């Protein structure tokens, strides 16, 4: 049985791969600049209420840099907005 791969699936894979390579290259350049200036430690990007939570996702979605949206978790897509601990926090890390 011969299976054919959807051409759109293959194209999407290559776009995602190219986007990741571009992101990784930018992160490497920023790390080099930080180390040259003396800033070796980077601030964590994870919101304070989400640190150590098993539900944390933390992946940005979108194709253009200006229109990317960070998905924090399934319960609170933009992060826990209130002060204090998140009521859905579950340890896992």
């Amino acid at each position: 049985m011969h299976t054919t791969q959807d051409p759109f699936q293959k194209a999407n894979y290559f776009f995602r791969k190219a986007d990741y390579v571009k992101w990784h290259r930018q992160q490497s350049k920023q790390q080099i600049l930080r180390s040259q200036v003396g800033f070796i430690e980077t601030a964590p990007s994870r919101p304070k209420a989400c640190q150590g939570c098993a539900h944390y996702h933390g992946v940005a979605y979108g194709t253009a840099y200006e229109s990317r949206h960070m998905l924090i978790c399934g319960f609170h897509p933009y992060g826990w907005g209130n002060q204090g601990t998140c009521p859905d926090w579950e340890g896992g890390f």
Side-chain angles (χ1 to χ4, degrees), residues 46-61:
R46 184 178 292 207
K48 190 170 223 157
C50 300
Q51 291 180 0
C53 183
H55 301 297
Y56 180 75
H57 185 63
V59 176
Y61 292 93

Side-chain angles (χ1 to χ4, degrees), residues 28-42:
S28 296
K29 288 179 182 179
Q30 288 176 359
Q31 180 62 31
I32 290 169
L33 289 173
R34 281 192 295 266
S35 65
Q36 289 174 345
V37 176
F39 298 104
I40 296 173
E41 295 296 321
T42 60

Side-chain angles (χ1 to χ4, degrees), residues 4-11:
T4 60
Q5 189 176 20
D6 181 19
F8 292 111
Q9 183 181 13
K10 192 173 186 179

Side-chain angles (χ1 to χ4, degrees), residues 1-18:
M1 176 182 244
H2 184 270
T3 60
T4 60
Q5 189 176 20
D6 181 19
F8 292 111
Q9 183 181 13
K10 192 173 186 179
N12 286 335
Y13 167 77
F14 285 121
F15 277 118
R16 283 194 315 270
K17 184 177 177 182

